[in-house]
Amino acid sequence: MTPFLAEFIGTMLLLLMGGGVVANVCLAKTKGYGAGWMAITTAWALGVFIGVVVAGPYSGAHLNPAVSIGLAIGGTFPWSEVPVYVLAQFLGAAAGALVVWLVYKDHFDVTDSQDIKLGVFCTSPAISNPLINFLTEMVGTFVLMFVVFYITDGELTYDSNSTLPIGLGSVGAIPVAFTVWVIGLSLGGPTGYAINPARDLAPRFMHMILPIKGKGSSHWGYAWIPGIAPLAGSALAAMLYYILK
C-alpha cells in the first residue's frame, strides 16, 4: 500500500458509499427509495469513516484535494506531495462513481428524471444563485478544514519527537465522520455539500462519458463552483488557523 494507492482506494470507497446512498434513496424501485436526507447525510459521513479507516495509516486519508491543499497552505503537508494525492483522489472518485452505476444500472434504466440520475454523480443547487452557491460550498469546506486543524495539527509525533504530516488520518475516523455529518445536516440543503472537488468533478465526468439510459446534461456550467469554492474555503481555514495558533 502506497500513499497514492491509499488515496485512490479511500476516495473510491467514499464515493461508492456516498453515491450509492443517493442512488438507493432517489432512483426508482430501490429498497431504500424515499429514505430521505438523514439517510443520505449519514451514509456520506460513514463513507468518510471507512475511507479514513482504510487510507489513514498509509496516506493520512485526505480523500479531498481541498484537504491536501489546505494542509499544504497550513504548513503541515509538503506541496511536493499534493499533485500525487490529488490525482489519486480524482481517479478514485471516478472509479467509485463507475461502480455505483454498475450496481444500480437497472434502476438508472427505469428512472425517468434526468436530474435524479445526475444527482447520483454530482451536486447541483436547489436554487441557482452562483454567489450564494459559491458561499455555501466555501463555508462548508471552511468548517471541515478549521475543525481538522483544531483537532490536530495534521502531524503524527513519534517518541523521538520527530513529526510526520499525515492529514485527516491524524484526527481519527470518527471525529471526521461527525464533522462531515453535521455539515451535511446543517449546510447541505442549498447545494448538496460537495465540499470536495474530486467528489464532484470526477463523477460528473463519469456521468458525461457513461452510456446511461436517458441521461441529460452533465451541467458543466455549474461545476466551477464545487471545483473552486472548496479550495477557497480550505485556504481561508488554513490562513485563519495559521494566524490564530
Side-chain angles (χ1 to χ4, degrees), residues 64-80:
N64 182 344
V67 171
S68 299
I69 292 172
L71 290 173
I73 292 172
T76 62
F77 186 71
W79 279 104
S80 61

Side-chain angles (χ1 to χ4, degrees), residues 111-157:
T111 298
D112 294 327
S113 172
Q114 295 178 348
D115 289 340
I116 288 175
K117 292 177 183 180
L118 177 64
V120 174
F121 291 87
C122 55
T123 64
S124 61
I127 298 175
S128 182
N129 183 331
L131 180 60
I132 298 300
N133 300 153
F134 188 97
L135 178 65
T136 301
E137 288 291 329
M138 184 175 70
V139 169
T141 313
F142 173 88
V143 171
L144 172 63
M145 283 305 302
F146 202 60
V147 171
V148 164
F149 277 119
Y150 272 93
I151 295 175
T152 177
D153 288 341
E155 294 178 344
L156 178 65
T157 302

Side-chain angles (χ1 to χ4, degrees), residues 53-232:
V53 165
V54 171
Y58 305 97
S59 69
H62 297 187
L63 314 184
N64 182 344
V67 171
S68 299
I69 292 172
L71 290 173
I73 292 172
T76 62
F77 186 71
W79 279 104
S80 61
E81 296 294 326
V82 170
V84 172
Y85 272 57
V86 170
L87 177 61
Q89 291 153 6
F90 271 87
L91 293 176
L98 172 61
V99 178
V100 170
W101 175 68
L102 292 173
V103 169
Y104 281 96
K105 184 180 183 306
D106 290 343
H107 299 277
F108 276 101
D109 290 346
V110 298
T111 298
D112 294 327
S113 172
Q114 295 178 348
D115 289 340
I116 288 175
K117 292 177 183 180
L118 177 64
V120 174
F121 291 87
C122 55
T123 64
S124 61
I127 298 175
S128 182
N129 183 331
L131 180 60
I132 298 300
N133 300 153
F134 188 97
L135 178 65
T136 301
E137 288 291 329
M138 184 175 70
V139 169
T141 313
F142 173 88
V143 171
L144 172 63
M145 283 305 302
F146 202 60
V147 171
V148 164
F149 277 119
Y150 272 93
I151 295 175
T152 177
D153 288 341
E155 294 178 344
L156 178 65
T157 302
Y158 295 101
D159 292 339
S160 63
N161 290 324
S162 62
T163 60
L164 174 68
I166 58 174
L168 276 184
S170 66
V171 308
I174 293 176
V176 177
F178 280 177
T179 301
V180 173
W181 194 14
V182 74
I183 290 170
L185 290 173
S186 301
L187 301 173
T191 61
Y193 74 115
I195 60 173
N196 181 340
R199 169 266 176 275
D200 188 280
L201 300 182
R204 193 182 297 269
F205 176 77
M206 296 306 292
H207 175 272
M208 182 179 70
I209 67 172
L210 286 173
I212 302 167
K213 182 179 177 181
K215 70 176 178 180
S217 168
S218 299
H219 293 180
W220 284 101
Y222 175 76
W224 69 274
I225 291 177
I228 297 175
L231 302 180

